[in-house]
Amino acid sequence: MENIDPTVPIPVRLDIDTIAPHFSRALAHLDTAMVRELDAVDFDHRLRELVRLRASQLNGCSYCVDMHATDALKAGDTTQRINALAVWRQSALFTARERAAFTLTESITRASETHVPDADWEAAAAEFSPAELGALVALIVTINAWNGVGVSTHAWV
């Protein structure tokens, strides 16, 4: 049996933090603004991380998948729920509120395909107040921005 190295180096394509520092700082400011919106409505920390994780799974951002799975554990979520997130529609481990958040996350993340249908929006609006919904949209848009940078540049491997 051949020995296989379990790690494969992924070369950085572009060090965005060094090459485009103004953009990098602006993205960090966007993240700070998003967290303030979430904090203002006392948005559940476990759900924050699951939304970040689900968008990162869809976008294929391995750095963010690893980070947000770890952060979800730190926020008090379980390994079972984190592992089931990729197949949340077939899992009984998630509440109606979480399911609505995941539906909206998938819809916004795939906006070019879905155009965020009314049914997805209405499902979220039935579970979240307008202020919570605004914070959720901010969360989804922000993690998609981070994922776009991570996937395209491999800046954080």
Side-chain angles (χ1 to χ4, degrees):
M1 187 163 163
E2 139 185 18
N3 286 336
I4 299 174
D5 182 357
T7 60
V8 176
I10 307 294
V12 172
R13 291 178 176 165
L14 181 73
D15 180 353
I16 193 80
D17 298 323
T18 301
I19 301 300
H22 300 293
F23 171 78
S24 186
R25 282 193 300 275
L27 190 52
H29 288 301
L30 176 66
D31 196 87
T32 299
M34 173 266 302
V35 169
R36 286 182 181 149
E37 296 297 335
L38 292 168
D39 288 348
V41 297
D42 198 28
F43 203 94
D44 180 68
H45 285 270
R46 292 185 326 157
L47 185 52
R48 293 178 194 200
E49 295 308 326
L50 292 178
V51 165
R52 287 177 175 129
L53 178 55
R54 185 63 189 132
S56 299
Q57 289 171 338
L58 294 171
N59 288 319
C61 186
S62 64
Y63 178 86
C64 291
V65 165
D66 180 62
M67 177 173 47
H68 296 300
T70 300
D71 289 347
L73 283 171
K74 288 178 187 174
D77 222 319
T78 66
T79 302
Q80 185 181 23
R81 282 170 40 95
I82 292 166
N83 291 340
L85 184 59
V87 292
W88 65 269
R89 291 179 195 274
Q90 290 77 40
S91 174
L93 297 173
F94 303 102
T95 67
R97 183 174 169 91
E98 291 167 332
R99 291 172 175 283
F102 302 152
T103 297
L104 192 61
T105 299
E106 291 183 1
S107 192
I108 291 173
T109 299
R110 294 180 166 146
S112 69
E113 301 164 23
T114 69
H115 305 284
V116 189
D118 290 340
D120 293 354
W121 186 266
E122 290 163 4
E127 294 291 334
F128 296 92
S129 72
E132 291 172 325
L133 201 50
L136 179 58
V137 169
L139 172 61
I140 297 165
V141 168
T142 303
I143 189 57
N144 277 289
W146 284 116
N147 291 163
V149 173
V151 170
S152 63
T153 67
H154 298 172
W156 317 292
V157 292

